[in-house]
Amino acid sequence: MGDTHGERRPAGELEAGVLAALWAAGRPLTPGQVQEALGGALARTTVTTILTRLYEKGTASRERSGRGFAYLPTEDASGLTARRMHAELAKDEDRGAVLSRFVSQLGDEDERLLRSLLDGDGRPS
């Protein structure tokens, strides 16, 4: 399950690579096609395991393709990041403190963007 040098990579890194391949394809991919898109460095069984985990997390959907499945991401990169941010926020009982700390650490441009979005115009200023 490691790379060609026998070192294990973090699961998040592998998932990110598989998602990047799915996003780049813009169409459903089988595990074999994902493996090819990743340059063949991962075993097909590893790719299948990662795709199954993404499906179980709701990050990918799947459809029948022959005897197996072809996979699609359920959202784009921005949507996935937003979902992760919500999950992190939900882990803390004091949401106000978390949001306050988050906002206090924003740069000027991000603060303007967030303010614009909160003001309801729905687009960056």
Side-chain angles (χ1 to χ4, degrees):
M1 186 144 49
D3 63 14
T4 57
H5 302 292
E7 299 172 8
R8 287 180 66 96
R9 288 180 270 179
E13 180 182 322
L14 295 175
E15 287 182 2
V18 168
L19 278 169
L22 293 175
W23 286 322
R27 63 180 174 84
L29 294 180
T30 64
Q33 291 168 325
V34 172
Q35 180 190 29
E36 286 178 31
L38 295 173
L42 297 175
R44 188 162 161 241
T45 54
T46 300
V47 173
T48 300
T49 298
I50 294 166
L51 287 165
T52 300
R53 288 180 182 158
L54 292 172
Y55 172 75
E56 290 170 352
K57 291 179 181 180
T59 306
S61 63
R62 67 184 184 191
E63 57 188 45
R64 275 280 174 207
S65 177
R67 295 187 331 193
F69 293 100
Y71 294 81
L72 270 169
T74 56
E75 53 200 342
D76 62 13
S78 296
L80 181 59
T81 299
R83 182 196 299 207
R84 287 177 177 157
M85 291 169 71
H86 279 282
E88 288 300 316
L89 182 60
K91 289 178 185 178
D92 199 298
E93 290 182 23
D94 191 350
R95 294 170 73 98
V98 173
L99 287 170
S100 175
R101 181 74 51 92
F102 176 77
V103 170
S104 72
Q105 294 175 359
L106 289 175
D108 291 343
E109 185 61 32
D110 287 337
E111 185 177 341
R112 280 190 291 277
L113 174 58
L114 181 57
R115 190 170 307 283
S116 174
L117 292 168
L118 291 173
D119 287 343
D121 65 14
R123 57 186 186 275
S125 56

